[in-house]
Amino acid sequence: MIPPDVGDVVRRWNPEGWARLHATSDPPRIRVAGVDGCGRAALVDELTALGPAVDYVHDGPATVVLMVFEASAHLGRTELAVLESAARGSGRVVCALTGTDAHPDWRAVHERDVALLQRHAPWLGPVTLLPVGTSLAARARAVGGDAGAVLRLESGIVDLHEALTAALVPGPHAGRALRSAVVAETRHLVVQAIAALRAGDDTGALRAERARWSLRATTPADDGGLRAELQRARIDTAQAVAAAVRAASAEFRDAIETVDPAHVPHLLDDVVRDLHARVGTVVTERLARIGPGDPEPAGPATVPPRSAPPSPRRPVEDRLTVLIGASAGAGLGRVAVSPLSLVPTLELATVPLSLLLGAAAAWWLVRVRRRLAERDRMRRWALEELVEVRAELEAVALERIVDAEARLGSALAVARTARLATARDRIAALDDELRRRAEDRAGQLAACERDLAVLARAGTAGRPGASNRTTASGGTTASGGVTRQ
């Protein structure tokens, strides 16, 4: 009976072996395994011809596994993989080397294959690789008689058949051998699992992600780009204000020539309001290219009140204009009424007419002079006001840019704080996941080590039986069988 703790380990790690230990007696089956082209079909035909009736299969569980190698080349990883996969269904393995009658150098291949099996499949125990010439065996079957019997012995098919027959017969220690084989197979599975746990690392992606988050959390925020954009916005808005004021000044100079000087202040108010609206639009569009956070002012632009135009003065030039106009009018009046002096009755009327014409000419000259002076005074006042308007627009644009800088800086600080908080939370989650996986791996390794220790104690306890098994099965080994340890 297998101990309960060992049975629990075998049941968890090797369900197929556990099923073999508790399987009912089935008819003898031999599983023939090998790579394509190794001569399995011809070998099965020759073995079937020797009898007795045995079920030769190519897959599934079997009492004995016949592993076929080919003498044309040394065995490799493919053959070893096929051997390990096929041997999981049985506790006994018999190895055969076919094609010895077709390859004169088969002995070197035979020695090399035996050495490779002892090195890479130590669970087989002592390895005996039986050489078989299938073509020679087929010719012996065709010849028949004593000559055929001799050829059959030379082909090695008889020795292989005897080895398979002996392996199919259960000995007194067959159950113990099967238990030892299943325990050894389970131990091999546990060792492989431990090696995979120690070699495999499924935390590489998590560690790389943690490194990226750590770099993101420790990298300072680059606000130099924001400062450069704001400085360019200052330059652009200053240029836009200057261009708008120049254009408005040119339009205003053209319009003031055709407008009554009394309407110039209203015209200037319209121009200033238009300038505020245009500059506000330019600043809003420019700040929108930097980032959100600069709300466009609602409603029309607020225009500060303008100073009143200077009151007109009566300078000395006006008096001179009156004097010059009167004298010029008197002279023109005398010229105009000189034809009347030729008429004696109208000679007395020339004096009042000359005075009247001189007064009219003086009034007209004074009026024109005052209008020109008023227009020039309003032009100078308007240009001075536009200079002040330019300063006001630049101040308004700069104030909005400073406010936008404060808002964007605050938004960047909030985003930086949120980014740091997100990075800290993600790093903490990754650390927890890494810690959990490390604990899981440590727990799995500890469980595997405990199971391996249980199997090791079972192997140590059954070592004397293993020696008896080796002695009991010595005839099988001598006849070509290999018992899986």
Side-chain angles (χ1 to χ4, degrees), residues 93-95 126-131 158-160 162-164 166-167 469-483:
V93 180
V94 176
C95 300
V127 178
T128 300
L129 185 60
L130 293 177
V158 176
D159 294 337
L160 178 60
E162 291 178 354
L164 292 174
R469 182 176 67 251
T470 304
T471 305
S473 60
T476 301
T477 303
S479 60
V482 180
T483 301

Side-chain angles (χ1 to χ4, degrees), residues 285-350:
E285 293 177 354
R286 186 61 183 85
L287 292 179
R289 293 204 297 260
I290 300 177
D294 181 69
E296 186 175 359
T302 303
V303 179
R306 305 257 61 85
S307 62
S311 58
R313 297 178 182 179
R314 297 291 183 265
V316 179
E317 289 83 358
D318 290 350
R319 298 186 181 91
L320 291 177
T321 302
V322 172
L323 180 60
I324 293 172
S327 61
L332 290 175
R334 289 181 65 83
V335 172
V337 299
S338 57
L340 296 178
S341 61
L342 300 177
V343 180
T345 59
L346 298 178
E347 184 177 1
L348 295 177
T350 57

